[in-house]
Amino acid sequence: MIKVENLVKTYGSIVASNNLNCHFEKGKITVILGGSGSGKSTLLRQITGLEKPDSGAVHFDGLDLTCTDKKSLYEKRKKMGMLFQGSALFNYLNIFENIAFPLREHTRIADNVIKTIVTMKLEMVGLRGTEHLMPSQLSGGMTKRVGLARAIVMDPKVIFYDEPTSGLDPISTGVIDKLIRDLNRKLNITSIVVSHDIESCFRIADKVIILFYGDIIAEGTVEEIKTSEDLKVQQFIKGEPEGPIPFTRTDKNYVEDLLLE
Amino acid sequence: MSLKIEIKKNNNIVVIKVEGEIDMFSSPNLREKLLPFFEKNVKGIIVELAGVSFMDSSGIATLVEGLQWSKKESRHFILTGLGTTVYNALSLTKLENVFTIKQDADQAFKEISRE
């Protein structure tokens, strides 16, 4: 479904994607794990065509998104749904209009039909009856679910989730995990999840990719990741402060840095 | 894939035969064909879906409009020839038991003529 080939992206001296190669299988949930600054979000932005790589290719349904024209990219994007980290709801629109927005923007579907579609999507995320509420009246978990309803309103083939459980309590996290899993299984949607939530990842992933400073240091099933002998992988999944993954990003000696004139 | 829609009328029963994929971009065409019959005094509408290889939420929502009409006007709105893909789409939205579904148009005609 989506294949990333030799993807390179740098910001000055920082290598965010270091010749990445990976494959996102149709109908599966792939979770991209990694700490802050590991290049997860950069990879996601390149896959969705929001950012151009320095070099390399992103094949989506046979089309290389890195060098396609705007019209084709726009057409492909209609097949993609995105749940943004902060859900990115429009504060001035109620829940109904937030979910209906992509339909009004991209199709000529009549109001009556839009109303039915929004009702169906709200039922899927368990929020029917909240149509009239404003985003400011929702809890964090509900906001994510509305974001999810909007992400699926155009019946996408692929959904990208950017940190879907960050900032949520354990129950809300469980609800979002179940929704991601259910949507994937019932609608056969290809799901790509960027996260640093290990527990959530292990609950939902068919495949895990771990990034470390722009490199893929491990990929495989949950079981393969859990039993990996790679010390970086073990440090990351156990959340250990000491190990091969340094807390600080600079190699410079601290005292030398302080004494620099 | 474009949508092919054929309409026949027999004994004040309308048969709408649909072929192709019903998605966000083609479903308004189906709606345009359906809507006029909601205003006319027809006994029932049969939507033949045997030739439909794909149907998304907008297709289902369009059919729901037919269902709303049938309940409001006490008329028949029957779906026929549902393949697995279309049936799954209905069941995902928990609507497979809400619509009247028959195997083919003959059975649907019999259902309407029973009155």
Side-chain angles (χ1 to χ4, degrees):
Chain A
M1 175 105 217
I2 299 175
K3 202 172 174 190
V4 167
E5 278 180 345
N6 307 319
L7 210 65
V8 176
K9 181 75 187 174
T10 55
Y11 300 101
S13 60
I14 295 170
V15 184
S17 301
N18 189 13
N19 202 31
L20 298 180
N21 288 283
C22 48
H23 181 220
F24 302 93
E25 276 179 74
K26 192 176 179 184
K28 302 281 183 194
I29 301 175
T30 304
V31 180
I32 305 169
L33 272 181
S36 303
S38 59
K40 307 185 297 288
S41 298
T42 304
L43 176 57
L44 195 69
R45 284 200 299 273
Q46 291 175 99
I47 296 171
T48 50
L50 292 171
E51 199 157 345
K52 279 209 172 223
D54 298 340
S55 61
V58 176
H59 299 284
F60 180 95
D61 267 356
L63 190 77
D64 183 0
L65 298 185
T66 63
C67 58
T68 191
D69 59 281
K70 273 190 179 173
K71 194 177 170 229
S72 307
L73 182 62
Y74 193 70
E75 285 304 311
K76 287 292 176 194
R77 282 222 188 104
K78 287 179 186 170
K79 295 179 179 175
M80 303 176 185
M82 176 96 182
L83 177 63
F84 294 96
Q85 197 168 346
S87 296
L89 299 183
F90 300 112
N91 288 330
Y92 59 93
L93 295 178
N94 67 16
I95 301 315
F96 178 91
E97 289 302 332
N98 259 289
I99 298 170
F101 189 82
L103 295 171
R104 297 203 195 284
E105 208 45 27
H106 299 294
T107 73
R108 56 184 188 98
I109 293 174
D111 281 354
N112 262 357
V113 179
I114 287 179
K115 185 173 179 290
T116 304
I117 296 175
V118 171
T119 304
M120 292 191 301
K121 301 304 174 185
L122 278 171
E123 170 71 13
M124 278 187 184
V125 300
L127 285 177
R128 209 158 35 81
T130 63
E131 292 86 343
H132 61 288
L133 296 178
M134 297 302 285
S136 59
Q137 295 173 285
L138 303 180
S139 68
M142 286 167 85
T143 303
K144 293 272 185 190
R145 282 150 72 189
V146 172
L148 195 47
R150 189 175 65 182
I152 59 172
V153 79
M154 294 275 290
D155 289 347
K157 286 186 173 177
V158 185
I159 303 187
F160 300 95
Y161 299 88
D162 193 3
E163 306 277 4
T165 57
S166 69
L168 297 184
D169 63 74
I171 292 172
S172 298
T173 297
V175 169
I176 293 292
D177 285 346
K178 187 175 181 306
L179 274 172
I180 294 174
R181 193 101 202 152
D182 283 354
L183 288 172
N184 174 261
R185 295 293 177 258
K186 287 180 184 169
L187 305 179
N188 198 31
I189 294 175
T190 304
S191 309
I192 300 176
V193 184
V194 157
S195 178
H196 52 229
D197 185 336
I198 307 290
E199 281 181 30
S200 164
C201 164
F202 286 171
R203 274 199 293 264
I204 63 172
D206 293 310
K207 180 182 173 182
V208 184
I209 293 173
I210 301 185
L211 286 178
F212 175 67
Y213 289 167
D215 284 311
I216 293 175
I217 57 167
E219 64 179 296
T221 62
V222 169
E223 205 45 47
E224 284 165 348
I225 295 296
K226 279 182 178 173
T227 54
S228 166
E229 290 179 2
D230 187 303
L231 294 176
K232 288 190 196 109
V233 173
Q234 284 305 316
Q235 184 192 354
F236 187 77
I237 64 175
K238 288 175 184 165
E240 290 166 346
E242 303 294 335
I245 301 176
F247 175 61
T248 175
R249 286 193 77 131
T250 179
D251 293 334
K252 274 191 191 165
N253 181 284
Y254 172 52
V255 177
E256 278 174 17
D257 220 5
L258 284 176
L259 298 178
L260 265 179
E261 283 184 23
Chain B
M1 192 180 175
S2 64
L3 204 60
K4 196 175 155 198
I5 302 168
E6 255 180 51
I7 299 172
K8 285 180 189 166
K9 208 169 165 190
N10 190 351
N11 282 338
N12 207 23
I13 298 169
V14 179
V15 181
I16 301 180
K17 188 177 175 184
V18 191
E19 283 179 18
E21 297 187 352
I22 310 177
D23 61 17
M24 299 277 166
F25 307 99
S26 63
S27 65
N29 300 338
L30 174 60
R31 185 171 186 267
E32 273 168 26
K33 302 285 182 192
L34 271 172
L35 274 185
F37 296 109
F38 297 163
E39 303 298 324
K40 291 177 185 166
N41 192 25
V42 294
K43 256 166 99 177
I45 298 173
I46 299 167
V47 185
E48 284 196 85
L49 297 167
V52 173
S53 52
F54 173 81
M55 183 162 68
D56 70 6
S57 306
S58 70
I60 296 168
T62 303
L63 296 177
V64 167
E65 226 178 344
L67 191 66
Q68 288 165 345
W69 162 79
S70 76
K71 300 284 177 204
K72 192 177 158 205
E73 304 291 332
S74 299
R75 304 295 157 95
H76 293 274
F77 187 79
I78 302 177
L79 309 181
T80 69
L82 274 67
T84 314
T85 314
V86 174
Y87 185 83
N88 283 347
L90 280 181
S91 89
L92 278 172
T93 45
K94 304 175 189 168
L95 294 173
E96 76 273 33
N97 297 319
V98 181
F99 283 99
T100 306
I101 299 171
K102 296 289 170 190
Q103 208 172 343
D104 52 38
D106 283 349
Q107 280 196 16
F109 266 107
K110 278 180 195 161
E111 173 79 16
I112 299 173
S113 306
R114 275 202 311 192
E115 284 175 2

